[in-house]
Amino acid sequence: MKLVKILLLFSVLSTLSCVENENPSFTKEELVLIPQPKSLNLNQGSFEVTNSTKIIIAQDSLASVSSILNDLFKNAAGFELETSVDAHAENNIQLKINSEIAKEAYELKVTSKKVVLEANSKLGFVYGMETIRQLLPKEIESGSKVSDIEWYIPNVEITDAPQYSYRGNMLDVSRHFFGKEYIKKHIDRLAFLKLNTFHFHLVDDQGWRIEIKKYPKLTEVGGFRVDQEDSHWNARTKNEPDAKATFGGFYTQEDIKEIVAYAKERGIRVIPEIEMPAHVMSAIASYPWLSCTGEPIAVPSGGVWPITSIYCAGKESTFEFLEDVLSEVMQLFPGEYIHVGGDEATKTNWENCPDCQRRIEEERLADEDELQSYFMKRIEKFLNKNDKTLIGWDEILEGGLPEEATVMSWRGFEGGWEASAAGHDVIMTPTSHLYFDYYQGSPDNEPVAFNAFTPLKRVYEFRPVLDSMSVEQKEHVLGGQANLWAEYVPTEAHSEYMLFPRVAALAEVVWSPENKLDWEDFSVRIRKMMERFEVMGINYAKSAYAVQSESEIDLETGEITISLQSEFPNTEIRYALNGEELNAESNLYQNKIKVDTDTQLKAAVFKNGKVMGAVLDKTFKFHKAVAKPVIYKYPYNQSYASSGETALVNVLKGSKYFKDGRWQGWINNPAIITIDLEKETSVSEVIVGSLEEQGTGIYFPQQLKVEVSKDGKNFKEVASLKRDYQTNPGAKIDNFKMGFEPQGNIQFVRVSVEPLVKTPNGGGAWLFLDEIQVK
């Protein structure tokens, strides 16, 4: 009898055990969390969220936190979770206050019966809820109801807290204006990644984007410019003050209040940037008396350099205006910080301004740099009096730092090092790692961007502190911030493309402990996270999947060796040659590829039989001039020398990135090149490869000419080509073909390439060439 009871008891316990663990279990590889938590333990089983699951909150003030999940379930699952302050035994998500946990930290424990999230602040609960969100299936991000899915959360124990207190992203809405709804959507995505600061760049030369009631012309005039969107940003012409301005927009004060309140509910502080003393042509166009000269100007439609139209530092009326503006701004942004710019001010007008020179004399300042310091210190005193802290770009170091200013170091890490050594707080945002207006992949496959590279891996390599810093200096480093300047970013979809997935890499670097940062591990998780981005409707870049090639030519044998790789490690790269279809059955890349005849190469990363990212498509054209001696009448510029004297006859073509090492450049001279074919032969065509990027001053040639000779002394013209200037908003490569009647017994070919004489802006034009093919 006793044996029967024992067996019955064992049966009951086994049944209970099965009930406890009847939900599916997950592997660590299936957990896709970005940023990586401080501590994570994965247990057997999972918790299922159903329409009877409740969210139990510790107090009514946490009700808004429940909306992070509820809004998702309402769309994707078709039900809402009841929120209550009354505790239930199981099938609930509990938000419990734990006074021993740090402000932004949280602890999460998931069992098959309930989810318990503990924190000591609303911020901690927000971050914990975002973790729960990422633990749910990616379909939870769907904007419409998803059928045939069960909402399981893996059983985990997580202890988490941020590494840095400042985790930010800046959006420039001056160069291109983005509407309120996009800004709110972006704030949601920052919260999803546990970033906590949205830097709102509201003022610049090309647009004033915030309503100031005392100065209505700031948005009526300064908020709009002449539409020149069909031209490259840096090739746009100067506008006249009376020209019709239709392109732009601005936020009303009600819009700003709505954005700030929306961000606060998601744990995001909003820092406005009101530029001064430079980057303010939009303000001067509205009120010319703000400048030293008082002359009317227009809001520029594109790039301005140097920036000489700046606020007059000598007039009291300038400071009255700025205090009025900042007073309205402070009412809209209740946070601690106001960013005032302070960068890139060219002070030539101050040098010639009687008011500025009088100010220098009266204040006993050494020069115009100290006048800028005076300007910033005066603004800081006004902000401090209103319980605000000034943030400025690292140029505010010049002439002397305001006493309590926080420095945002963008020209590398040096400004941050110097400011921290002087006892100032620092936010690191170096161009080398965190400028998201830079290319993230080959310009041949990317939308137009600033001519520099910030690939995903480089973002992940960012570390806010430097080894050379003292302990005290490191304590002044608040964190890091990524910046998306919008000169080349005209649409919301393009903005998303430049931000994602790079902003996720930054999020992990500034949140997770440094010993948790591992590129190979992150590269696996971010690829899975991209699938969630897709459900979220984010137009993310797949640039890190793109195949990159390196090629070298052996000038003795004429053989080219090609290596292929992608930014992500351990990818499946397949390639096809000479018109073969590129598909999942194509050659698997394992060893370097060698070619010595005309070859077209296509390659791509494949995953589950599908192409991921852009397809590499390169053609190697061998011709009669390969590796032959070249004589230059005018030397190429040493800054753009490529591989030297054989660069134009080495088969290796350049990309749309003019700094890729494949282009030779000339300025103020034509390119006149003579090629010695070393033996007499017949020639009938010459092709000249050239690059144009008008924004950087590189233009296609105006005319080309081909001459041939038997002896290298007596030349005969056989072909020429003239080309009219055309507006081009992007980077473009063209091959200028000049065919002619076959010329026999020719040993020397001379190619003359004339640059554009005068650019639309009146300056000289660069001429860039990568290959001269002789056929």
Side-chain angles (χ1 to χ4, degrees):
M1 191 66 168
K2 189 178 288 187
L3 179 61
V4 171
K5 287 182 180 180
I6 290 171
L7 289 172
L8 284 171
L9 178 61
F10 178 77
S11 177
V12 169
L13 289 173
S14 297
T15 302
L16 288 173
S17 176
C18 290
V19 170
E20 171 69 17
N21 293 303
E22 65 181 355
N23 293 343
S25 293
F26 292 80
T27 64
K28 275 200 172 181
E29 290 68 33
E30 291 176 290
L31 300 188
V32 183
L33 294 175
I34 296 177
Q36 185 83 291
K38 191 174 182 179
S39 168
L40 184 153
N41 290 317
L42 175 63
N43 300 318
Q44 292 292 310
S46 54
F47 175 84
E48 184 180 9
V49 181
T50 68
N51 58 7
S52 62
T53 302
K54 295 178 174 57
I55 299 178
I56 310 301
I57 56 176
Q59 53 195 37
D60 290 334
S61 64
L62 296 177
S64 61
V65 177
S66 66
S67 68
I68 294 171
L69 290 185
N70 252 337
D71 291 348
L72 296 168
F73 276 106
K74 185 162 55 178
N75 291 329
F79 60 79
E80 289 188 64
L81 308 180
E82 181 185 333
T83 301
S84 171
V85 292
D86 297 325
H88 295 74
E90 54 186 52
N91 193 23
N92 59 55
I93 300 170
Q94 296 180 18
L95 277 59
K96 297 175 66 174
I97 294 174
N98 184 337
S99 59
E100 296 182 2
I101 293 177
K103 182 182 176 184
E104 290 190 281
Y106 68 91
E107 293 180 4
L108 175 65
K109 184 173 183 180
V110 181
T111 68
S112 298
K113 289 186 176 180
K114 62 184 177 182
V115 176
V116 179
L117 172 61
E118 296 186 39
N120 190 25
S121 70
K122 190 172 182 178
L123 284 174
F125 285 114
V126 167
Y127 301 142
M129 286 296 248
E130 294 292 357
T131 295
I132 293 172
R133 174 182 180 177
Q134 291 192 20
L135 288 168
L136 283 159
K138 62 181 183 293
E139 288 78 11
I140 196 66
E141 310 293 344
S142 175
S144 57
K145 188 175 178 180
V146 181
S147 302
D148 302 322
I149 192 166
E150 294 170 305
W151 306 106
Y152 289 111
I153 302 172
N155 285 351
V156 293
E157 295 175 44
I158 291 175
T159 300
D160 206 4
Q163 183 81 347
Y164 292 95
S165 64
Y166 190 107
R167 309 179 301 280
N169 173 230
M170 187 278 298
L171 282 191
D172 167 14
V173 296
S174 172
R175 277 53 177 269
H176 284 95
F177 177 73
F178 302 121
K180 175 182 65 178
E181 292 307 313
Y182 175 69
I183 299 301
K184 288 164 67 176
K185 185 162 58 174
H186 181 60
I187 285 167
D188 276 330
R189 292 164 179 174
L190 296 184
F192 173 79
L193 294 167
K194 299 184 179 67
L195 293 170
N196 68 349
T197 304
F198 173 52
H199 175 172
F200 210 179
H201 187 80
L202 291 161
V203 172
D204 218 298
D205 291 312
Q206 295 81 9
W208 186 287
R209 304 301 180 203
I210 179 172
E211 177 190 25
I212 303 297
K213 294 187 182 294
K214 190 166 184 177
Y215 298 98
K217 286 185 179 180
L218 288 173
T219 46
E220 291 170 5
V221 175
F224 297 88
R225 64 183 187 240
V226 176
D227 189 343
Q228 294 192 44
E229 292 299 295
D230 60 342
S231 297
H232 190 287
W233 179 262
N234 288 323
R236 297 177 185 180
T237 55
K238 184 178 178 180
N239 299 326
E240 295 300 321
D242 58 352
K244 188 174 182 181
T246 58
F247 189 85
F250 64 91
Y251 306 99
T252 66
Q253 293 201 359
E254 290 306 309
D255 290 336
I256 295 291
K257 290 175 185 175
E258 185 179 336
I259 288 168
V260 171
Y262 189 87
K264 184 180 179 183
E265 289 301 318
R266 286 149 185 82
I268 305 287
R269 60 182 166 192
V270 184
I271 297 176
E273 183 175 359
I274 309 298
E275 280 270 17
M276 61 186 77
H279 288 285
V280 293
M281 291 177 70
S282 55
I284 293 171
S286 307
Y287 298 99
W289 51 265
L290 290 167
S291 71
C292 291
T293 66
E295 295 174 358
I297 63 169
V299 178
S301 294
V304 177
W305 193 260
I307 301 170
T308 56
S309 292
I310 66 178
Y311 288 140
C312 178
K315 298 174 187 172
E316 280 302 300
S317 56
T318 300
F319 293 97
E320 291 168 7
F321 165 82
L322 289 171
E323 289 183 8
D324 289 340
V325 168
L326 291 171
S327 293
E328 291 194 36
V329 169
M330 288 186 290
Q331 291 299 312
L332 298 169
F333 296 91
E336 174 188 356
Y337 294 110
I338 302 288
H339 200 303
V340 296
D343 61 313
E344 298 183 328
T346 300
K347 306 174 184 72
T348 50
N349 285 351
W350 286 4
E351 293 170 6
N352 301 312
C353 172
D355 294 308
C356 290
Q357 292 305 308
R358 185 177 60 253
R359 178 83 71 188
I360 289 173
E361 185 177 347
E362 289 174 353
E363 298 293 334
R364 297 180 179 178
L365 306 173
D367 53 22
E368 285 72 27
D369 281 345
E370 284 198 9
L371 179 58
Q372 176 160 338
S373 179
Y374 163 85
F375 191 115
M376 287 300 174
K377 287 175 180 177
R378 183 163 172 176
I379 293 298
E380 184 191 45
K381 286 177 184 175
F382 176 74
L383 293 176
N384 291 166
K385 192 166 61 178
N386 289 276
D387 299 319
K388 301 290 183 182
T389 298
L390 178 149
I391 299 181
W393 302 107
D394 55 51
E395 283 94 333
I396 66 172
L397 286 157
E398 297 164 9
L401 262 176
E403 191 174 334
E404 297 177 30
T406 296
V407 172
M408 195 167 270
S409 187
W410 73 278
R411 295 178 300 177
F413 293 87
E414 294 79 7
W417 197 99
E418 184 180 340
S420 63
H424 288 258
D425 285 346
V426 169
I427 299 153
M428 292 294 196
T429 176
T431 57
S432 56
H433 294 78
L434 297 179
Y435 266 45
F436 287 4
D437 53 323
Y438 291 6
Y439 284 107
Q440 53 195 315
S442 169
D444 290 348
N445 303 312
E446 296 286 321
V448 176
F450 186 86
N451 259 308
F453 275 101
T454 309
L456 181 65
K457 186 179 181 183
R458 187 175 300 169
V459 178
Y460 199 76
E461 290 169 348
F462 167 68
R463 300 293 182 268
V465 300
L466 303 174
D467 291 340
S468 61
M469 287 178 167
S470 67
V471 173
E472 292 79 9
Q473 281 179 283
K474 291 176 181 178
E475 289 174 353
H476 280 292
V477 178
L478 304 181
Q481 173 177 291
N483 299 324
L484 180 55
W485 301 103
E487 290 94 333
Y488 305 103
V489 185
T491 66
E492 294 174 2
H494 193 162
S495 175
E496 292 176 350
Y497 184 91
M498 302 305 282
L499 287 163
F500 291 88
R502 290 187 288 188
V503 72
L506 168 70
E508 179 148 306
V509 168
V510 292
W511 177 279
S512 303
E514 190 161 347
N515 63 5
K516 290 280 186 178
L517 301 180
D518 179 271
W519 165 246
E520 289 208 13
D521 179 62
F522 176 79
S523 71
V524 172
R525 284 181 288 117
I526 192 62
R527 279 177 269 185
K528 292 178 181 176
M529 183 61 78
M530 286 175 176
E531 298 173 10
R532 186 176 289 259
F533 290 162
E534 204 143 328
V535 183
M536 294 170 78
I538 297 173
N539 182 41
Y540 68 92
K542 297 179 182 177
S543 311
Y545 276 113
V547 173
Q548 305 155 14
S549 68
E550 292 289 337
S551 47
E552 296 179 348
I553 186 168
D554 184 328
L555 294 175
E556 295 294 327
T557 65
E559 186 177 61
I560 292 175
T561 302
I562 308 160
S563 60
L564 305 177
Q565 62 277 326
S566 77
E567 192 176 351
F568 286 139
N570 305 316
T571 52
E572 175 191 332
I573 298 176
R574 294 189 177 271
Y575 69 94
L577 301 176
N578 299 324
E580 295 175 350
E581 183 183 353
L582 178 64
N583 55 40
E585 304 302 317
S586 296
N587 302 307
L588 179 66
Y589 176 75
Q590 294 174 307
N591 299 303
K592 292 180 179 180
I593 303 164
K594 296 181 183 293
V595 299
D596 57 8
T597 59
D598 287 3
T599 303
Q600 182 192 26
L601 166 68
K602 288 186 177 181
V605 170
F606 281 79
K607 181 180 177 183
N608 299 326
K610 288 175 55 181
V611 171
M612 307 297 293
V615 174
L616 173 74
D617 189 347
K618 290 184 79 73
T619 299
F620 299 89
K621 288 280 189 181
F622 290 79
H623 51 90
K624 293 183 177 182
V626 173
K628 301 302 183 184
V630 177
I631 301 166
Y632 294 84
K633 182 173 182 179
Y634 301 106
Y636 41 80
N637 188 285
Q638 286 303 312
S639 296
Y640 303 102
S642 186
S643 57
E645 293 188 358
T646 57
L648 299 182
V649 289
N650 67 0
V651 187
L652 306 179
K653 304 280 283 178
S655 71
K656 290 180 181 177
Y657 181 48
F658 72 89
K659 298 177 183 177
D660 68 4
R662 298 294 189 202
W663 294 101
Q664 283 191 339
W666 287 260
I667 183 77
N668 300 326
N669 278 316
I672 300 178
I673 297 113
T674 302
I675 303 169
D676 181 356
L677 300 178
E678 296 186 314
K679 64 180 181 179
E680 291 186 354
T681 186
S682 175
V683 296
S684 59
E685 185 180 50
V686 171
I687 303 171
V688 179
S690 184
L691 171 72
E692 180 168 78
E693 187 173 352
Q694 296 179 358
T696 50
I698 304 169
Y699 289 81
F700 280 144
Q702 193 167 27
Q703 57 185 11
L704 304 94
K705 181 174 67 175
V706 176
E707 299 169 283
V708 297
S709 171
K710 294 181 179 181
D711 58 10
K713 297 177 182 178
N714 302 298
F715 282 86
K716 176 179 73 170
E717 182 178 332
V718 292
S720 64
L721 185 155
K722 289 189 176 181
R723 181 187 176 279
D724 293 330
Y725 164 79
Q726 298 171 21
T727 300
N728 178 15
K732 185 179 180 182
I733 295 172
D734 208 347
N735 292 299
F736 295 94
K737 296 183 180 181
M738 291 168 284
F740 43 89
E741 289 294 321
Q743 304 291 311
N745 302 320
I746 296 301
Q747 183 174 338
F748 298 90
V749 177
R750 184 162 67 198
V751 181
S752 301
V753 188
E754 298 284 343
L756 187 68
V757 175
K758 188 177 181 181
T759 70
N761 290 334
W766 278 94
L767 178 67
F768 269 56
L769 308 179
D770 68 344
E771 185 80 2
I772 297 176
Q773 300 176 47
V774 178
K775 297 188 174 184

